Amino acid sequence: MLDEKAFCRVISENQSFIITTHKFCDGDGLGAGCALGYGLQKAGKKVSFITLDTPHEKYRFLDGKGFITPFQSIADLELKLKEADCILAIDLSDPVLMEPLYSLVEKSGCRICFIDHHPLHKKLTTPDYFINTAASSTGELVYHLLQALKIPLDEQIAKSLYTSIVFDTKCFRFIKNSSAPFSISAELIPYISNVDQIYESLFKNLSAENLNFFSYLNNTEYHNNNQYALLHLTEADLVTHKADLGIACDLLDMIMNVSTMQIAVLILERKENCFKMSIRSRKKNILPFARSLGGGGHTLSAGAYIQNMSYTQIREKFISEFVA
């Protein structure tokens, strides 16, 4: 496992970096990745940020210089890997969540370092990881790494870090009983010319079609006096309402606002026998359940990408684990 000194050595010993984050990129991975990338550029390093899918337009404010490049092709990735000394994988410790890039990295022999605040995934065997599960966001970790590298804050870096923290703590609601999100944010805010823009971009971005999508809450299946809930959606549902995974998870978070709710799960059917499961809990540790399906995450917020199972099988597994 890397500590701050070891990570600093990785940076000093290399000149060209590729930053990436998990599939279905979100505000934590994008914000922390941009902050680290802008910081390394400031230190004179060559940096590119490659995402494995196209970020939602609500994150466009992070990318004022066209820094983020969505995945184009295998050939393009292979070419970029030839020019890179090291890969920095942000907000992930599961190699599956960065395919096809991870397989190409292994083939190329390029060094890869993981930076995450989720528990170490069993599939990750490399010692090159910097993980702290006490942190409420990956942005917290990147903040400390930039401090260790003696890279000063500026507006781009501060805005990116603040985005990571605000997004992953859901406006400081999930802070893991730590004052760090507040103290770090207090240091960042003076560098940001328009803090309100970040909140507006992240949390006030619904279209009329998106809003109508919330009618799908009527499809929620409740159990045990509204203590457990299951919502099944399809990729076609998202397309119809111009929604994405983030907005679908907003439905899940709304279900968790039910006063009696203990655990709620969203099962998004992407194609036949291929699902994205997101699960939330009020108190019970749901991470083992997510891991049993090949996923990961936090103790109260987790998920998995599930293949070769039917919706009925996943539903029955959820029911038998929590409801029955």
Side-chain angles (χ1 to χ4, degrees):
M1 178 174 177
L2 299 172
D3 57 17
E4 288 184 4
K5 287 185 179 179
F7 180 82
C8 290
R9 285 197 297 272
V10 172
I11 300 304
S12 64
E13 292 169 358
N14 296 283
Q15 182 61 29
S16 178
F17 297 87
I18 291 176
I19 290 176
T20 192
T21 187
H22 54 79
K23 294 178 180 178
F24 305 105
C25 48
D26 61 19
D28 188 22
L30 291 170
C34 282
L36 184 57
Y38 293 143
L40 294 182
Q41 285 183 334
K42 198 171 184 177
K45 304 293 183 178
K46 182 180 178 182
V47 187
S48 57
F49 190 169
I50 300 174
T51 58
L52 299 169
D53 41 34
T54 301
H56 190 281
E57 62 181 15
K58 67 184 177 184
Y59 299 117
R60 191 176 299 166
F61 71 96
L62 289 171
D63 192 25
K65 295 183 176 181
F67 178 50
I68 300 173
T69 304
F71 166 73
Q72 300 294 325
S73 67
I74 296 295
D76 181 62
L77 284 179
E78 289 176 331
L79 183 62
K80 285 182 167 62
L81 282 172
K82 289 180 180 179
E83 301 172 351
D85 300 320
C86 183
I87 314 298
L88 301 174
I90 308 297
D91 193 34
L92 65 86
S93 60
D94 182 355
V96 172
L97 298 184
M98 59 178 295
E99 291 294 5
L101 181 55
Y102 186 75
S103 295
L104 295 175
V105 171
E106 283 197 309
K107 183 179 177 181
S108 71
C110 187
R111 186 174 187 177
I112 181 168
C113 298
F114 293 84
I115 303 168
D116 199 5
H117 69 123
H118 301 106
L120 183 66
H121 197 281
K122 63 183 179 182
K123 295 177 183 177
L124 190 62
T125 57
T126 174
D128 287 340
Y129 62 87
F130 183 85
I131 289 178
N132 181 0
T133 58
S136 63
S137 67
T138 312
E140 282 189 37
L141 303 184
V142 170
Y143 167 83
H144 290 298
L145 292 174
L146 291 173
Q147 295 286 300
L149 289 165
K150 294 181 169 49
I151 297 174
L153 293 171
D154 58 28
E155 178 157 21
Q156 277 191 318
I157 294 172
K159 184 164 61 173
S160 300
L161 289 173
Y162 188 73
T163 296
S164 168
I165 293 170
V166 170
F167 176 87
D168 234 33
T169 63
K170 297 294 186 288
C171 291
F172 305 99
R173 287 188 295 154
F174 304 112
I175 60 172
K176 296 189 175 180
N177 291 325
S178 170
S179 62
F182 297 102
S183 59
I184 294 172
S185 296
E187 185 174 348
L188 299 175
I189 286 174
Y191 290 89
I192 304 171
S193 58
N194 188 354
V195 175
D196 291 342
Q197 179 205 23
I198 297 175
Y199 177 81
E200 294 282 333
S201 297
L202 292 179
F203 304 113
K204 290 191 175 182
N205 52 65
L206 293 178
S207 66
E209 291 89 353
N210 294 162
L211 192 61
N212 290 335
F213 183 52
F214 283 57
S215 65
Y216 278 74
L217 285 170
N218 289 327
N219 297 343
T220 305
E221 175 184 334
Y222 293 97
H223 295 272
N224 290 19
N225 297 317
N226 299 331
Q227 292 187 74
Y228 304 95
L230 186 148
L231 178 61
H232 177 208
L233 299 171
T234 68
E235 189 78 18
D237 296 330
L238 299 187
V239 172
T240 298
H241 292 87
K242 300 181 181 178
D244 62 4
L245 180 61
I247 294 174
C249 285
D250 287 342
L251 299 184
L252 187 60
D253 291 333
M254 290 184 71
I255 294 170
M256 287 302 300
N257 286 331
V258 175
S259 60
T260 56
M261 192 59 56
Q262 298 303 308
I263 298 176
V265 62
L266 164 67
I267 302 175
L268 176 61
E269 189 169 350
R270 306 199 67 87
K271 55 185 178 181
E272 186 176 359
N273 290 345
C274 182
F275 300 85
K276 170 66 174 77
M277 181 192 75
S278 299
I279 183 168
R280 304 284 187 269
S281 173
R282 195 177 297 273
K283 294 180 181 179
K284 185 177 177 63
N285 183 0
I286 54 175
L287 185 55
F289 178 68
R291 283 181 166 171
S292 73
L293 291 167
H298 307 269
T299 57
L300 302 180
S301 177
Y305 299 93
I306 305 169
Q307 299 186 53
N308 302 320
M309 288 181 70
S310 68
Y311 167 74
T312 300
Q313 289 173 316
I314 300 171
R315 177 188 176 278
E316 289 176 352
K317 190 171 180 65
F318 174 77
I319 296 294
S320 63
E321 179 75 22
F322 300 111
V323 180

